[in-house]
Each structure stands twice: as structure tokens, then as C-alpha cells.
């Protein structure tokens, strides 16, 4: 699951109550949904928390929810699956600021750069762009242009 190999998954569980002791830093990865017409039926958010040097808790939610406990190698595998995406507009992004990444979480190889709005030419972050697919073409809109396009104004 999530590209984590079997030996690195220590335990799996159902989603439950929030853990009370949350003083450890967490890392959050979220699905970067840029196509408004695309319906997501999987997981859209993942949070990783430290429990010990070789035990990390992963909570995921969306259409599917649950928990996993993984090793430190598993954390690396998870990061490769979700954050080493080399598409210009990645499917997943790190919601935790790089400066707030705990030292047990590997820094992603690629930090996505802003893309250009096809309408007004301004630079827009990959998490704010709207990029509907139509007939194989993918236009990119900043939030302002997208609201005009969507409303047909
Ligand atoms: Zn624009």
C-alpha cells in the first residue's frame, strides 16, 4: 500500500479516535486535485507521525480511511511514491512547510515550481492552479481566471 513494501508495514488498523498525545511533529501530504472534473475515490490526505525511531504512524483519509504503522524505510518509500513525482503539476504535494519538516522525514528531491496561467500569464502555485483536461489539452488557470472561465464571464 502507498508503495510501501510488505516488510516495512508493521501493523494496519482502522481509523479511530484522534490520538491524544500530539506533541510530535507531523508531516502531511495531500492530493493536489487540479482538475475540477475529476472525481477522486481513493485517499486524499495522509499524515505521518513519529512514534519511535523505527515506528511511524500513518493515518489516511478520503473515500478510504485507515491507519498503518511503518518502519523508517517505509517512510522513505512513502515519500518516493507521493513526492518524487516529476510531473510539472504533481498529483500530491507536501502540506508541511519544508522548514518544519522533522529530521526523520526525507526532503523531497523536487519542489514543484509555479506554473503560468494560460489566460493572464501570471505565475500560480501548483496547489492553486486549476487544470481541467479537455480533448487532450490542459489549460492552466489561476484562481481569478478560473472563476471567470467557470462562470462564463
Ligand atoms: Zn490568470
Amino acid at each position: 500500500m502507498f508503495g510501501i513494501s510488505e516488510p516495512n508495514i508493521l501493523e494496519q488498523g482502522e481509523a479511530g479516535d484522534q490520538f491524544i498525545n500530539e506533541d510530535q511533529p507531523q508531516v502531511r501530504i495531500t492530493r493536489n486535485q487540479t482538475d475540477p472534473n475529476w472525481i477522486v475515490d481513493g485517499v486524499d490526505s495522509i499524515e505521518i507521525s513519529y512514534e519511535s525511531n523505527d515506528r511511524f504512524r500513518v493515518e489516511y483519509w478520503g473515500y478510504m480511511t485507515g491507519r498503518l504503522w511503518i518502519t523508517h524505510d517505509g517512510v522513505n518509500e512513502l515519500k518516493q511514491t507521493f513526492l518524487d513525482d516529476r510531473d510539472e503539476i504533481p498529483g500530491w504535494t507536501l502540506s508541511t512547510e519544508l522548514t518544519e519538516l522533522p529530521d526523520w522525514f526525507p526532503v523531497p528531491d523536487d519542489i514543484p515550481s509555479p506554473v503560468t496561467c494560460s489566460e493572464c500569464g501570471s505565475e500560480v502555485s501548483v496547489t492553486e492552479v486549476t487544470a481541467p483536461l479537455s480533448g487532450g489539452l490542459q489549460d492552466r488557470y489561476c484562481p481569478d481566471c478560473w472563476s471567470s472561465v467557470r462562470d462564463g464571464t
Side-chain angles (χ1 to χ4, degrees):
M1 177 163 214
F2 301 147
I4 304 166
S5 53
E6 211 58 41
N8 288 324
I9 298 180
L10 303 169
E11 214 180 301
Q12 295 200 37
E14 305 271 302
D17 296 334
Q18 280 293 335
F19 287 84
I20 300 155
N21 186 9
E22 296 292 15
D23 52 355
Q24 289 289 347
Q26 293 167 334
V27 176
R28 185 181 276 214
I29 301 171
T30 42
R31 186 190 287 276
N32 189 28
Q33 191 178 354
T34 54
D35 186 339
N37 305 314
W38 189 49
I39 294 163
V40 173
D41 64 357
V43 172
D44 48 40
S45 198
I46 298 169
E47 204 164 75
I48 308 114
S49 316
Y50 175 97
E51 285 191 354
S52 76
N53 285 337
D54 211 26
R55 187 177 164 93
F56 297 84
R57 189 179 70 237
V58 177
E59 293 182 73
Y60 55 90
W61 57 94
Y63 185 78
M64 283 165 54
T65 52
R67 282 180 182 150
L68 289 177
W69 281 265
I70 63 176
T71 63
H72 191 249
D73 286 344
V75 173
N76 284 313
E77 289 175 338
L78 188 137
K79 170 257 178 187
Q80 278 167 16
T81 305
F82 292 104
L83 299 175
D84 288 349
D85 180 343
R86 288 169 193 276
D87 285 345
E88 199 184 352
I89 301 178
W92 291 83
T93 57
L94 194 61
S95 295
T96 306
E97 294 292 333
L98 287 176
T99 52
E100 284 167 14
L101 271 191
D103 55 10
W104 48 263
F105 195 86
V107 176
D109 298 345
D110 281 318
I111 307 301
S113 17
V115 295
T116 307
C117 173
S118 6
E119 204 66 14
C120 70
S122 66
E123 297 235 299
V124 50
S125 123
V126 294
T127 54
E128 285 176 2
V129 71
T130 299
L133 262 181
S134 56
L137 278 176
Q138 195 175 34
D139 284 325
R140 284 131 187 220
Y141 300 107
C142 67
D144 286 350
C145 294
W146 172 244
S147 52
S148 315
V149 169
R150 187 191 48 204
D151 302 340
T153 51

